[in-house]
Amino acid sequence: MECPHLSSSVCIAPDSTKFPNGSPSSWCCSVCRSNKSPWVCLTCSSVHCGRYVNGHAKKHYEDAQIPLTNHKKSEKQEKAQHTVCMDCSSYSTYCYRCDDFVVNDTKLGLVQKVREHLQNLENSAFTADRHRKRKLLEISSLNSKLLKVNGSTTAICATGLRNLGNTCFMNAILQSLRSLVEEFRKTLCALWQGSQTAFSPESLFYVVWKIMPNFRGYQQQDAHEFMRYLLDHLHLELQGGFNGVSRSAILQENSTLSASNKCCINGASTVVTAIFGGILQNEVNCLICGTESRKFDPFLDLSLDIPNQFRSKRSKNQENGPVCSLRDCLHSFTDLEELDETELYMCHKCKKKQKSTKKFWIQKLPKVLCLHLKRFHWTAYLRNKVDTYVEFPLRGLDMKCYLLEPENSGPESCLYDLAAVVVHHGSGVGSGHYTAYATHEGRWFHFNDSTVTLTDEETVVKAKAYILFYVECQARAGSDKL
């Protein structure tokens, strides 16, 4: 929105020496010292935490509005209102008086100058940190964390990834996808070389910072969100013309289906869509006149709700009711659903919004089926985690009953075997830790950043999965080439 308060609130110099040291995304709140969600006041350059941490940025604004009763305000105090602040991670600007994000700037462009200054500070801190870590790697000995099998230590064909500072969300996804382009290729190639020293994906991380501003800094991120951004940007780069198009533009309504039934996103097909791309048919029926609307939507993954009746079931062995299965989540996704009052369908025949039903069918299955279990949901102020255990098969996941035309599918083209699992440990999306399980040459490995251990199927099936990667059975033989 256009904010009318910028001229009275943006008072700091873009190169202010009052800024704290270090990278802006890691600055600490001046009250509680939390480095989560730091915001800088564009009036006085003080740093406070956001409303979803302890809310000291908003309190700073509120305290500044209390009139000084003991003595008269100076003219400068009268004008400075401390109403506008900037997110030190995403560099978005927010006005507390307008209670909305700001898109305009002052006549002198001070907001943009502060934004560029913070970006320069962030990049400088990141470069310095890279040099420091590289120096430590040069003087350190080989990583002694080798695979332990039956009490003895042996070398294995898998390599861990170093945690660069709350980057387990990235490591878990990379360790699951053994399918930017150049750095991504180098990182994936290093994963299965069996080096005794953990590989440090600094170059890829630096590229991620440059092309995905949302993931700058060292705060914890959502692994599923990172995976989607990564696949979308890879898809764009493989088209040969990446120009900073946002994810929203990738999945715009002009997504098309080619005559050969390939999954095309943004009008093009790449190796990303060839591997992960599927097609959904979305059917909406008006409950008043019966008009049916059909729409084909390409997808790279499916996000599945955990049904409400299972949300109190936190472990596989817990009693009190049946265990939630992956099939329960898939049925919930594809079952006929009546849309509520907030999602009324614009019926072209009735020429107004009407009550309606919605149903998804899968028109085309991908070679690698990525299933995301929606474990995080918003309440009034917080994003809570659904910690329910969901039972999933290691082999033979049959997707035939969810297909639009199952009679046109081969006997094995609907069967999938599990290839990798991403797990979130902890209670919230902004905290906790990510690890991954992945299978290679018939053995299962547990990836915990730089530590790689051999594990067994019994351990894998007990995991509280966040993201599941299934490989089409008939493509199994060539899966290592993907």
Side-chain angles (χ1 to χ4, degrees):
M1 60 156 291
E2 297 279 336
C3 173
H5 309 115
L6 295 184
S7 59
S8 61
S9 294
V10 182
C11 306
I12 61 174
D15 57 349
S16 173
T17 56
K18 295 182 180 179
F19 288 135
N21 295 323
S23 60
S25 62
S26 299
W27 286 347
C28 295
C29 173
S30 59
V31 178
C32 65
R33 308 308 299 167
S34 170
N35 64 351
K36 295 178 181 178
S37 185
W39 291 75
V40 60
C41 174
L42 298 189
T43 300
C44 63
S45 73
S46 60
V47 178
H48 297 89
C49 60
R51 66 177 68 193
Y52 297 117
V53 183
N54 292 314
H56 289 127
K58 185 177 182 181
K59 190 174 188 306
H60 172 71
Y61 154 71
E62 292 170 344
D63 290 345
Q65 311 313 303
I66 300 175
L68 299 176
T69 56
N70 296 331
H71 50 81
K72 189 177 181 180
K73 288 184 181 178
S74 67
E75 184 178 349
K76 186 174 182 181
Q77 286 176 318
E78 187 70 38
K79 289 183 178 179
Q81 299 178 18
H82 304 266
T83 62
V84 180
C85 57
M86 182 175 289
D87 187 332
C88 299
S89 298
S90 66
Y91 313 115
S92 55
T93 309
Y94 192 87
C95 175
Y96 281 108
R97 288 189 67 184
C98 298
D99 197 22
D100 205 346
F101 286 95
V102 177
V103 298
N104 58 318
D105 204 339
T106 65
K107 292 181 179 179
L108 297 177
L110 291 179
V111 174
Q112 182 58 25
K113 289 179 180 178
V114 172
R115 182 178 290 116
E116 292 173 353
H117 183 62
L118 295 187
Q119 289 174 330
N120 289 335
L121 290 177
E122 189 76 38
N123 291 336
S124 298
F126 177 71
T127 302
D129 190 57
R130 288 183 68 200
H131 288 313
R132 179 184 64 82
K133 289 182 177 180
R134 188 167 294 165
K135 189 76 174 176
L136 290 174
L137 286 174
E138 290 173 356
I139 63 175
S140 64
S141 59
L142 288 176
N143 191 321
S144 60
K145 296 179 180 178
L146 299 178
L147 173 67
K148 291 186 177 180
V149 183
N150 297 327
S152 61
T153 302
T154 59
I156 59 172
C157 59
T159 301
L161 293 176
R162 291 190 182 278
N163 192 312
L164 306 177
N166 276 333
T167 60
C168 57
F169 70 93
M170 179 180 78
N171 291 349
I173 293 299
L174 296 177
Q175 288 159 336
S176 298
L177 295 179
R178 13 160 231 107
S179 349
L180 246 123
V181 174
E182 179 59 18
E183 294 302 334
F184 188 61
R185 183 191 66 81
K186 290 178 184 176
T187 303
L188 292 190
C189 286
L191 281 177
W192 298 106
Q193 301 225 337
S195 172
Q196 295 181 3
T197 304
F199 179 76
S200 185
E202 288 178 335
S203 296
L204 176 63
F205 191 44
Y206 184 61
V207 171
V208 168
W209 272 30
K210 287 201 301 184
I211 66 175
M212 300 186 223
N214 287 6
F215 295 95
R216 287 175 180 160
Y218 294 99
Q219 65 271 28
Q220 182 62 282
Q221 303 280 2
D222 179 46
H224 174 252
E225 185 179 1
F226 171 74
M227 182 195 75
R228 288 308 316 266
Y229 270 91
L230 179 67
L231 292 179
D232 291 340
H233 279 272
L234 282 171
H235 175 65
L236 283 173
E237 284 200 13
L238 288 167
Q239 292 178 54
F242 176 75
N243 57 0
V245 179
S246 67
R247 180 178 174 227
S248 60
I250 299 170
L251 298 177
Q252 57 187 322
E253 288 190 356
N254 68 349
S255 298
T256 58
L257 305 178
S258 69
S260 60
N261 202 31
K262 290 182 180 178
C263 175
C264 299
I265 297 180
N266 204 28
S269 177
T270 66
V271 66
V272 173
T273 57
I275 295 173
F276 297 96
I279 300 169
L280 282 176
Q281 177 178 292
N282 183 359
E283 291 182 0
V284 179
N285 284 273
C286 176
L287 290 177
I288 306 302
C289 69
T291 299
E292 183 180 88
S293 173
R294 295 182 181 179
K295 180 183 176 184
F296 290 99
D297 295 313
F299 68 87
L300 297 178
D301 72 316
L302 297 178
S303 290
L304 311 177
D305 282 307
I306 296 174
N308 288 331
Q309 66 265 32
F310 297 108
R311 292 197 175 183
S312 61
K313 186 86 170 180
R314 293 176 175 260
S315 67
K316 182 176 182 179
N317 298 323
Q318 182 180 337
E319 296 181 359
N320 303 324
V323 174
C324 179
S325 70
L326 185 59
R327 191 162 295 281
D328 292 318
C329 300
L330 285 165
H331 280 311
S332 177
F333 179 78
T334 57
D335 279 350
L336 188 68
E337 172 190 6
E338 183 171 339
L339 301 179
D340 59 33
E341 295 291 335
T342 62
E343 300 178 290
L344 292 179
Y345 162 65
M346 183 63 191
C347 178
H348 298 294
K349 186 174 181 180
C350 298
K351 299 189 185 311
K352 64 178 181 178
K353 291 185 176 181
Q354 301 282 29
K355 287 187 176 182
S356 60
T357 60
K358 179 180 73 174
K359 180 173 176 60
F360 285 119
W361 294 96
I362 299 178
Q363 202 262 350
K364 175 185 177 295
L365 284 164
K367 293 186 181 301
V368 175
L369 178 63
C370 177
L371 300 176
H372 161 235
L373 298 179
K374 295 162 72 171
R375 291 197 174 274
F376 300 105
H377 66 98
W378 287 101
T379 58
Y381 299 101
L382 299 172
R383 198 179 186 189
N384 294 329
K385 181 179 178 182
V386 179
D387 205 30
T388 301
Y389 171 77
V390 177
E391 193 173 53
F392 54 89
L394 289 176
R395 300 175 189 85
L397 173 64
D398 192 350
M399 296 293 294
K400 195 165 188 175
C401 62
Y402 310 109
L403 283 178
L404 180 64
E405 298 175 338
E407 66 277 4
N408 295 333
S409 302
E412 292 186 357
S413 62
C414 303
L415 296 177
Y416 287 82
D417 291 341
L418 188 66
V421 186
V422 173
V423 181
H424 177 268
H425 310 268
S427 58
V429 67
S431 60
H433 183 60
Y434 289 98
T435 64
Y437 294 95
T439 182
H440 183 65
E441 296 180 346
R443 296 190 295 177
W444 279 95
F445 297 89
H446 183 219
F447 291 87
N448 184 2
D449 287 330
S450 59
T451 303
V452 184
T453 54
L454 189 65
T455 188
D456 52 41
E457 294 183 350
E458 289 73 19
T459 301
V460 175
V461 296
K462 292 177 182 177
K464 292 183 180 179
Y466 181 42
I467 306 173
L468 296 153
F469 296 90
Y470 281 92
V471 177
E472 188 180 27
C473 285
Q474 65 183 24
R476 191 79 183 157
S479 63
D480 290 338
K481 301 177 183 178
L482 299 182

